[in-house]
């Protein structure tokens, strides 16, 4: 049974009126005779925005057992592949959905197949996964540090900043020959930066920066 306050059954989390009985089940909100929403109950329990969300949900006239559906593919069947795509989307909300998964697969594969010492490969992997212990990441993990970059003292020390945007990083990249400096100046994550490089630079160019 789906609880009105224990399950994620609405697209937004519900707003309850003060004193509402939150222990009810979603089924309790449905009139057993008409099989439609019990508007009176919905009105006494929820604030107007949630009320709207609920009443928008169409109910079947035929009594049938509830089923959980996976709405990420046409078959409504859960698959690891679509779950992975959802995870990526949650992690990188700024990326459009199209071609995201195949592009990412290519990129992880390419990083993994770089002909470089394992420690370099791991570092790139960590940087792209945004799990390096940058100050910004430490703050997110509730570690008490000043998130500002100690090198330039101006911006938050994110992976993208310390490896690309910070003047120190810019100077370092300036020593590299090729088109790499022109790749991007955006403040996007390091992961997106790498993706952009991969799209714009040839395979040889890309590989040569894995040194
Ligand atoms: Zn800096």
């Amino acid at each position: 049974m789906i609880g009105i306050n224990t399950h994620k059954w609405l697209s937004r989390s519900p707003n309850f009126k003060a004193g509402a009985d939150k222990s009810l089940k979603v089924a309790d909100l449905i009139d057993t005779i008409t099989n439609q929403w019990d508007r009176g109950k919905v009105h006494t329990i929820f604030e107007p925005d949630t009320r709207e969300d609920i009443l928008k949900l169409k109910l079947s006239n035929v009594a049938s057992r509830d089923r959980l559906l996976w709405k990420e593919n046409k078959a409504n069947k859960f698959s690891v592949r679509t779950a992975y795509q959802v995870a990526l989307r949650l992690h990188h909300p700024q990326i459009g959905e199209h071609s995201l998964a195949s592009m990412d697969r290519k990129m992880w594969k390419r990083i993994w197949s770089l002909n470089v010492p394992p420690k370099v490969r791991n570092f790139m992997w960590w940087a792209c996964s945004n799990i390096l212990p940058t100050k910004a990441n430490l703050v997110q993990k509730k570690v008490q540090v000043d998130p500002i970059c100690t090198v330039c003292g101006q911006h938050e020390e994110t992976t993208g900043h310390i490896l690309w945007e910070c003047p120190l990083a810019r100077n370092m990249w300036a020593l590299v020959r090729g088109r790499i400096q022109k790749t991007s100046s955006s403040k996007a994550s390091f992961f997106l930066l790498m993706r952009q490089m991969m799209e714009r630079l040839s395979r040889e160019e890309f590989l040569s920066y894995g040194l």
Side-chain angles (χ1 to χ4, degrees), residues 148-157 161-162 165-169:
I148 298 301
C149 170
T150 19
V151 180
C152 66
Q154 296 202 356
H155 299 281
E156 216 189 357
E157 193 197 274
H161 176 79
I162 200 69
E165 282 167 12
C166 187
L168 179 82

Side-chain angles (χ1 to χ4, degrees), residues 4 16-17 19-24 45:
I4 59 171
F16 295 96
K17 282 192 174 167
D21 181 0
K22 295 184 187 175
S23 67
L24 291 176
I45 297 170

Side-chain angles (χ1 to χ4, degrees), residues 90-188:
L90 292 173
H91 211 66
H92 305 283
Q94 63 272 61
I95 315 172
E97 273 180 53
H98 73 284
S99 78
L100 178 110
S102 70
M103 184 69 205
D104 288 343
R105 260 198 304 277
K106 237 172 52 196
M107 171 149 150
W108 292 123
K109 239 171 140 177
R110 205 176 269 194
I111 292 177
W112 216 234
S113 64
L114 283 173
N115 192 16
V116 294
K119 65 178 177 190
V120 175
R121 200 161 50 214
N122 286 341
F123 184 82
M124 282 182 78
W125 187 271
W126 292 331
C128 288
S129 313
N130 195 22
I131 49 175
L132 286 174
T134 61
K135 288 170 141 201
N137 281 346
L138 290 174
V139 167
Q140 272 222 321
K141 296 260 178 294
K142 309 269 183 264
V143 180
Q144 299 272 341
V145 289
D146 176 8
I148 298 301
C149 170
T150 19
V151 180
C152 66
Q154 296 202 356
H155 299 281
E156 216 189 357
E157 193 197 274
T158 60
T159 310
H161 176 79
I162 200 69
L163 295 182
W164 186 253
E165 282 167 12
C166 187
L168 179 82
R170 304 302 310 168
N171 287 340
M172 199 274 291
W173 286 115
L175 301 174
V176 180
R177 260 183 295 165
R179 296 188 292 152
I180 196 162
Q181 293 90 346
K182 295 200 187 91
T183 304
S184 167
S185 56
S186 81
K187 293 205 188 328

Side-chain angles (χ1 to χ4, degrees), residues 80-94:
V80 173
R81 187 196 180 91
T82 48
Y84 172 71
Q85 286 165 11
V86 172
L88 281 176
R89 217 158 59 216
L90 292 173
H91 211 66
H92 305 283
Q94 63 272 61

